[in-house]
Amino acid sequence: MMENALTVLNMTEAMLWHGFLVFLRIAAAVSILPAFGETTVPPRIKIGIALAFTVIVAPALPTFETAQPSFEVIAKYTLTEGLNGFLIGIGVRMFVMALQTAGTIAGQSTSLAQIFGGASGEPLPAIGNVLSLAALALAVTMGLHVYVARYFIGSYILFPAGTFPVVEIMTEWGVAQVASAFSLAFRLAAPFVIISAIYNLMLGVINRAMPQLMVAFVGAPLITAGGLFLLFLVAPALLTLWWSALQGFMINPTEGLQ
């Protein structure tokens, strides 16, 4: 009887230790993940989300080969898993940054950079604020939590537990994600940049043909209304493109590596 109780106690201790190590990585990642790690989400809710993901992810991972819990071991895993969690979290966060960058480019192109810019926790132009809120709502509706759980499980292939990230892999992976984020931002903002270029070209021709006409008074309301109408037309396609890119990354985060 005592032997069975001791076996159960040892198994429980091993499970709690395994869950604690998984929680260290997930908690660091959840703090900056889109939707789950927004500044408007209270810290207690973030801790609850991290615990929920730990309950889901920990059983899917094999038991880590670690020494018995001690101050040195806990300090080591706190540093390594915290850094690994931050890296995998920032990888997903880059897609929100790409959307915000696209909104900034579009806002500057259509004179909508300052309207309702402070409506969210971060100062964004109107287009960036609308696209960010819509994208987060779309991601949560499409099952973001499922993809995040799979992403956490797969992250142990790229960043093994208890080890600091390899500098070469981290550099190559990070550069690929930054380049992909900026490329996505420019693709999302392309319709607004093209329309703005055509508009300014036409405005220049009109100004040359009729110098006495104050084209600025006519053109400013036109480009603002045109930017809002264009946002109404292309927002579904932009959000679909953004979600497809985010979905592909969470399914295969190592795609940018050679």
Side-chain angles (χ1 to χ4, degrees):
M1 186 67 179
M2 293 297 297
E3 294 180 356
N4 293 336
L6 183 60
T7 301
V8 173
L9 182 61
N10 292 333
M11 291 179 59
T12 304
E13 181 182 356
M15 291 174 58
L16 291 176
W17 175 239
H18 177 71
F20 173 72
L21 297 181
V22 175
F23 175 78
L24 290 176
R25 173 176 298 198
I26 292 180
V30 166
S31 64
I32 55 176
L33 278 179
F36 304 112
E38 301 299 325
T39 57
T40 55
V41 179
R44 293 181 181 179
I45 302 299
K46 293 180 182 179
I47 294 176
I49 294 173
L51 289 173
F53 275 120
T54 301
V55 173
I56 297 172
V57 174
L61 298 173
T63 303
F64 306 133
E65 297 181 0
T66 61
Q68 292 297 321
S70 63
F71 177 79
E72 292 78 7
V73 175
I74 293 176
K76 171 190 173 183
Y77 275 90
T78 300
L79 291 175
T80 56
E81 293 305 286
L83 179 58
N84 290 331
F86 176 79
L87 290 176
I88 64 177
I90 201 66
V92 182
R93 193 71 189 178
M94 288 297 295
F95 286 87
V96 177
M97 296 179 182
L99 201 61
Q100 294 173 350
T101 303
T104 301
I105 296 173
Q108 293 290 344
S109 301
T110 56
S111 300
L112 291 171
Q114 302 299 329
I115 302 179
F116 305 126
S120 63
E122 301 177 1
L124 294 176
I127 295 179
N129 187 35
V130 171
L131 289 178
S132 297
L133 292 177
L136 293 179
L138 174 65
V140 174
T141 304
M142 297 297 292
L144 178 63
H145 58 288
V146 178
Y147 290 96
V148 168
R150 294 176 57 183
Y151 178 60
F152 283 147
I153 297 173
S155 69
Y156 286 89
I157 300 176
L158 185 61
F159 303 115
T163 59
F164 286 99
V166 180
V167 176
E168 292 78 9
I169 296 179
M170 184 176 62
T171 302
E172 184 180 356
W173 185 73
V175 170
Q177 298 314 313
V178 172
S180 176
F182 276 100
S183 175
L184 178 62
F186 283 113
R187 279 186 291 163
L188 295 176
F192 300 93
V193 175
I194 294 174
I195 292 298
S196 176
I198 296 174
Y199 160 80
N200 285 288
L201 179 61
M202 294 177 57
L203 209 63
V205 172
I206 295 174
N207 190 35
R208 292 287 295 178
M210 302 178 62
Q212 68 278 10
L213 178 64
M214 300 297 291
V215 293
F217 291 100
V218 179
L222 181 62
I223 188 61
T224 301
L228 292 175
F229 183 69
L230 182 62
L231 176 63
F232 171 76
L233 291 179
V234 303
L238 298 183
L239 294 176
T240 301
L241 176 62
W242 177 84
W243 169 246
S244 298
L246 178 59
Q247 184 182 31
F249 170 77
M250 287 189 292
I251 293 175
N252 183 19
T254 61
E255 185 176 359
L257 296 177
Q258 300 297 329

